[in-house]
Amino acid sequence: MTSAGDAAGRTRDARGWLLAGGIVTGGAALLHVGIILGGPAWYRFFGAGERMARHAARGSPVPPLITAGIATVLGVWALYALSGAGVIRRLPLTRTALVLIAAVYLGRGVLGIPIVLLADDPYANELKGRMTFMAVSSAVCLALGACYAIGAARAWRRTAETKR
């Protein structure tokens, strides 16, 4: 049997992990909006690759559409983390979404570098030249995956205990 203090501690703990994940993910969403506004130099600096930067320089709609799509997904993920943390109202399928988001982040973190090293296409070859970007982004994805996974697990446990 757990005490009310134990459950309250897990609530704060789950909230902290999800809040951290949500804030960083929201920041990443805003950063992607900034990349669209910053143009080709920002695409280059933030690791989108020379091909994306060249397309942006030519005024192609593809880079901003792809980047806006990424920003939108990250924004939704941030909202789910904030929902799980209790900062905003409960969103549909919050627990399921948090687990899936954690899985995507952890998968990207673990597999990002090996996939680039093993792939045999021009874009992967371009990324091989930017291993610092791949290492940093993989580490960030692992950390965010941990925030979502730990936060979701502790929030899930808290919910199960309060139903007993």
Side-chain angles (χ1 to χ4, degrees):
M1 186 168 298
T2 61
S3 71
D6 291 341
R10 271 193 287 284
T11 299
R12 284 189 305 274
D13 192 34
R15 181 184 169 132
W17 285 102
L18 291 170
L19 194 56
I23 289 169
V24 174
T25 301
L30 293 175
L31 177 62
H32 280 78
V33 172
I35 290 168
I36 294 169
L37 299 174
W42 281 48
Y43 280 98
R44 281 185 192 94
F45 181 80
F46 287 104
E50 190 55 35
R51 184 170 38 174
M52 284 282 278
R54 280 196 312 266
H55 283 302
R58 280 186 262 150
S60 169
V62 173
L65 286 174
I66 290 171
T67 309
I70 294 168
T72 301
V73 168
L74 292 172
V76 169
W77 288 5
L79 291 174
Y80 269 97
L82 296 176
S83 175
V87 174
I88 63 172
R89 73 173 184 81
R90 186 111 171 126
L91 296 176
L93 302 170
T94 298
R95 282 190 264 179
T96 304
L98 292 173
V99 169
L100 292 174
I101 293 164
V104 170
Y105 270 137
L106 291 170
R108 166 55 181 84
V110 169
L111 298 175
I113 292 174
I115 287 173
V116 168
L117 291 175
L118 298 173
D120 190 28
D121 69 65
Y123 183 67
N125 289 332
E126 185 179 329
L127 285 176
K128 288 176 188 172
R130 295 191 324 268
M131 270 304 157
T132 301
F133 166 77
M134 289 305 296
V136 169
S137 62
S138 291
V140 169
C141 286
L142 282 173
L144 286 170
C147 285
Y148 279 79
I150 294 168
R154 293 190 176 173
W156 209 320
R157 190 175 322 132
R158 176 194 72 223
T159 302
E161 288 173 356
T162 56
K163 288 183 179 180
R164 289 182 195 167

